[in-house]
Amino acid sequence: MSSPVTVVHLMRHGEVHNPEGILYGRLPGYRLSELGREMAETVSRFLAVHDVVRVVASPLERAQETAGPIAATFDLPVETDERLIEAGNYFEGKTFGVGDGALSKPSVWPHLLNPFTPSWGEPYEQIAARMLGAIADARVAAYGHDVVLVSHQLPVWTVRNKIEGKRLWHDPRKRECSLASLTSLTYTGDDLTSITYTEPAAGLLARAAKKAGA
């Protein structure tokens, strides 16, 4: 008899309405843009053929709103898990740039000294640990089915690196975790058998990039 297959989909939320370019982190009030809502609807249609029995999201608005259409597709509630929240960051609430942002202030420079922990925010190991806990609990609760966990780019990328045995510190520009993407962990029985990455909303990413560069 074959072992049950369980899939944990780690999803990054859709585009956020943030015309001021603030590093919003865990701040409340940052909701999806119109494009972000379109991304969430697109992913809900992509997942409609999957056997999703739970939808769990970070408590932040953008993650909850991203989870909404997926949960509605399967007539499920959006559950909340604090462990899926964005990483804590000293610079949240600030613009982040050289000359016109937080980096121009000498008072913040001590927070940039150690990129390996990192010194400006929640330690990578702590992020990985809480994400692993959320994944483990979700896998058990959805055993033999699919579960969607809506989180944020840094937590998803950090835990993927942890699972793959890679170093946790990295160049943020090289993360493979675009808006509304899915990093899917497939388990056969209790064994992780594959990690796959998909971008169901790939057709919308160019619009997001154009807006960011405007």
Side-chain angles (χ1 to χ4, degrees):
M1 182 177 178
S2 60
S3 298
V5 174
T6 308
V7 184
V8 180
H9 302 282
L10 303 177
M11 181 179 179
R12 182 186 173 190
H13 60 78
E15 185 195 60
V16 175
H17 179 68
N18 181 25
E20 296 83 14
I22 299 296
L23 183 63
Y24 38 77
R26 294 179 176 178
L27 295 175
Y30 283 89
R31 307 176 68 84
L32 292 183
S33 65
E34 182 177 343
L35 180 59
R37 291 191 290 272
E38 189 176 346
M39 289 176 173
E41 293 285 355
T42 298
V43 178
S44 73
R45 293 191 292 271
F46 175 83
L47 288 171
V49 297
H50 291 253
D51 183 24
V52 176
V53 296
R54 292 185 72 210
V55 179
V56 189
S58 154
L60 296 175
E61 288 98 324
R62 57 193 185 271
Q64 293 280 318
E65 289 179 339
T66 299
I70 301 169
T73 295
F74 295 96
D75 195 24
L76 295 169
V78 176
E79 303 175 51
T80 301
D81 190 330
E82 294 281 346
R83 294 172 294 184
L84 299 175
I85 199 167
E86 177 63 286
N89 193 309
Y90 172 81
F91 294 100
E92 72 178 28
K94 302 176 177 65
T95 56
F96 194 77
V98 178
D100 60 348
L103 292 182
S104 65
K105 300 174 176 63
S107 62
V108 309
W109 295 348
H111 295 280
L112 301 170
L113 294 177
N114 183 358
F116 306 109
T117 302
S119 53
W120 56 81
E122 184 180 6
Y124 292 129
E125 288 290 354
Q126 183 174 307
I127 297 169
R130 60 178 171 83
M131 289 292 290
L132 286 172
I135 291 168
D137 289 349
R139 182 177 69 83
V140 170
Y143 191 70
H145 305 277
D146 288 27
V147 55
V148 179
L149 305 183
V150 183
S151 186
H152 308 267
Q153 186 187 61
L154 179 54
V156 171
W157 184 244
T158 300
V159 77
R160 177 177 170 180
N161 283 339
K162 184 69 172 181
I163 292 170
E164 293 182 339
K166 298 178 180 177
R167 69 187 188 202
L168 302 189
W169 60 272
H170 60 277
D171 182 344
R173 296 169 298 182
K174 296 182 179 179
R175 294 172 185 163
E176 187 182 44
C177 190
S178 68
L179 291 166
S181 61
L182 297 171
T183 299
S184 302
L185 313 176
T186 299
Y187 296 84
T188 302
D190 294 326
D191 297 325
L192 178 65
T193 50
S194 72
I195 300 175
T196 57
Y197 174 78
T198 53
E199 296 179 345
L204 303 175
L205 294 177
R207 284 165 55 189
K210 183 177 180 181
K211 288 170 63 178

